[in-house]
Amino acid sequence: MPVDGRELIKAISIIANERNVKVTMKQTTKGAMVCAASAFAAGILLGPVGLAIGGTAGGLMAYKMTNGTFRPLADVLLNDLNDDQQERLVRHVKNALAEFAISDLAMLLPLLMNNANIQQAVLKTVTSFVSNELRCQIID
């Protein structure tokens, strides 16, 4: 029985949940810029005390702006990928697993769930795919 792409993505999602891998849509950069700009502006106006005040205020603003924008990788894989992206991801994962000589789903799922080397190879491939294709940052 050949590997079903949807089942493979569900298995990858389980592993991503177990490892608590999260993604963000470039919100980290925006938050850092807000924090830095706030610290800079307050530092210019108030000197060293302004740096502390501005950094704190900027950090709180960045928190408010980015709160809720970090999502589990599993959620992104299951809900945000269109059919073409799912097919490309499955192809990338199958290529990554080619060295393990796994040809069907009955062999793949138990190995994927229990073998740390295979999990690492799959997660590396998936995080690379998500970073390059979806332009997300990975937080693990």
Side-chain angles (χ1 to χ4, degrees):
M1 167 166 79
V3 175
D4 177 33
R6 193 74 186 150
E7 290 299 318
L8 181 59
I9 290 175
K10 285 180 185 176
I12 294 167
S13 298
I14 291 168
I15 294 168
N17 272 339
E18 287 175 357
R19 298 213 178 171
N20 199 27
V21 179
K22 296 191 183 295
V23 298
T24 180
M25 306 293 188
K26 302 290 184 186
Q27 296 298 318
T28 304
T29 304
K30 186 190 306 182
M33 291 174 65
V34 166
C35 191
S38 177
F40 177 76
I44 294 287
L45 296 174
L46 303 172
V49 173
L51 287 173
I53 293 170
T56 303
L60 292 173
M61 285 190 301
Y63 168 76
K64 184 107 171 127
M65 286 174 40
T66 61
N67 189 25
T69 61
F70 295 87
R71 296 176 47 208
L73 176 60
D75 184 47
V76 172
L77 294 176
L78 293 173
N79 300 319
D80 291 356
L81 298 180
N82 61 36
D83 291 338
D84 183 51
Q85 289 171 325
Q86 286 180 357
E87 288 175 21
R88 285 196 316 257
L89 175 60
V90 168
R91 192 171 45 246
H92 284 283
V93 170
K94 284 181 182 178
N95 289 341
L97 295 175
E99 69 182 76
F100 295 101
I102 302 168
S103 59
D104 67 15
L105 188 61
M107 286 177 54
L108 175 62
L109 291 181
L111 282 174
L112 184 58
M113 300 314 286
N114 298 318
N115 187 316
N117 292 334
I118 292 177
Q119 287 179 4
Q120 190 64 28
V122 168
L123 280 179
K124 183 177 177 182
T125 302
V126 171
T127 56
S128 174
F129 177 85
V130 169
S131 295
N132 295 332
E133 296 284 327
L134 302 180
R135 302 288 186 239
C136 295
Q137 292 175 329
I138 303 296
I139 297 134
D140 50 352

